[in-house]
């Protein structure tokens, strides 16, 4: 067949290669758009030597502040590691899950992104870096990479003084 119609076979091959261009050009990139899971997780980064008492105090203060936002329905958090192999959290890690009210009860013009910005302005503590993430996606990313935010830098080396520089 291909010997009888070489031009047709060649044309079909070129069309098939051209149709594969788009998927091949996206290899190595994220193909799933960011999802809005409907909830939000607050994961502040604290100092490595943060005491349990101070972490508990911070958790209580942030929960009270988060609850003041009208779109928030419930707030609950944990400090440290759960008794499960799927929780890679260090002792000082705080995870607060924020559940929202139904969207028809939100103020006009409010989006999940605007709530993140509002919460970020509301919760400002010295030495604490805020991270507002999606709960399920973050847990999966943490299990896969050990890093809790979408962008992270991991620096390793044998000499601490050289790493400080």
């Amino acid at each position: 067949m291909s010997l009888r119609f070489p031009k047709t076979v060649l044309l079909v091959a070129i069309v098939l290669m051209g149709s594969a261009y788009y998927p091949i050009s996206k290899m190595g990139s994220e193909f799933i758009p960011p999802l809005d899971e409907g909830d939000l997780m607050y994961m502040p980064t604290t100092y490595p030597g943060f005491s349990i008492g101070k972490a508990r105090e911070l958790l209580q203060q942030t929960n009270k502040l988060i609850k003041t936002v009208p779109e928030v329905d419930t707030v609950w958090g944990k400090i440290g590691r759960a008794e499960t192999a799927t929780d890679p959290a260090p002792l000082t890690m705080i995870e607060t899950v924020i559940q929202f009210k139904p969207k028809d009860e939100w103020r006009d013009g409010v989006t999940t992104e605007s709530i993140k910005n509002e919460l970020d302005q509301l919760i400002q503590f010295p030495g604490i870096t805020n991270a507002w993430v999606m709960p399920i996606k973050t847990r999966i990313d943490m299990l896969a990479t050990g890093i809790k935010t979408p962008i992270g830098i991991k620096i390793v080396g044998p000499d601490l003084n050289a790493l400080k520089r």
Side-chain angles (χ1 to χ4, degrees):
M1 173 90 168
S2 61
L3 291 177
R4 272 200 243 151
F5 306 103
K7 291 179 184 176
T8 306
V9 171
L10 189 58
L11 182 65
V12 168
I14 290 171
V15 167
L16 287 175
M17 285 183 357
S19 68
Y21 170 75
Y22 181 77
I24 289 172
S25 71
K26 298 299 177 191
M27 285 181 64
S29 66
E30 185 113 9
F31 63 92
I32 298 176
L35 299 175
D36 184 357
E37 296 176 13
D39 294 335
L40 194 62
M41 187 156 58
Y42 171 58
M43 298 179 71
T45 301
T46 62
Y47 291 119
F50 209 55
S51 72
I52 295 173
K54 285 291 181 189
R56 182 176 35 224
E57 185 181 313
L58 178 69
L59 178 66
Q60 290 170 347
Q61 290 173 342
T62 56
N63 283 0
K64 285 178 186 176
L65 289 170
I66 291 167
K67 189 68 177 147
T68 64
V69 174
E71 288 74 21
V72 173
D73 189 24
T74 59
V75 179
W76 50 274
K78 78 167 187 72
I79 305 168
R81 180 177 312 190
E83 292 293 327
T84 172
T86 61
D87 193 354
L91 182 64
T92 57
M93 180 182 269
I94 297 172
E95 296 175 342
T96 300
V97 176
I98 304 162
Q99 293 180 320
F100 296 121
K101 294 177 181 175
K103 289 198 178 196
D104 59 350
E105 296 179 26
W106 289 13
R107 295 171 283 172
D108 289 337
V110 173
T111 64
T112 304
E113 197 60 38
S114 69
I115 293 173
K116 283 184 197 179
N117 294 334
E118 183 177 347
L119 288 169
D120 208 37
Q121 295 298 314
L122 187 63
I123 300 176
Q124 293 292 319
F125 290 96
I128 305 299
T129 305
N130 295 337
W132 306 97
V133 294
M134 293 295 148
I136 298 169
K137 182 183 183 316
T138 300
R139 179 61 69 197
I140 291 168
D141 290 347
M142 282 176 52
L143 288 171
T145 65
I147 299 173
K148 66 182 179 180
T149 55
I151 298 174
I153 299 172
K154 198 180 267 191
I155 302 173
V156 295
D159 184 10
L160 289 178
N161 292 326
L163 291 176
K164 285 180 184 178
R165 282 193 309 255

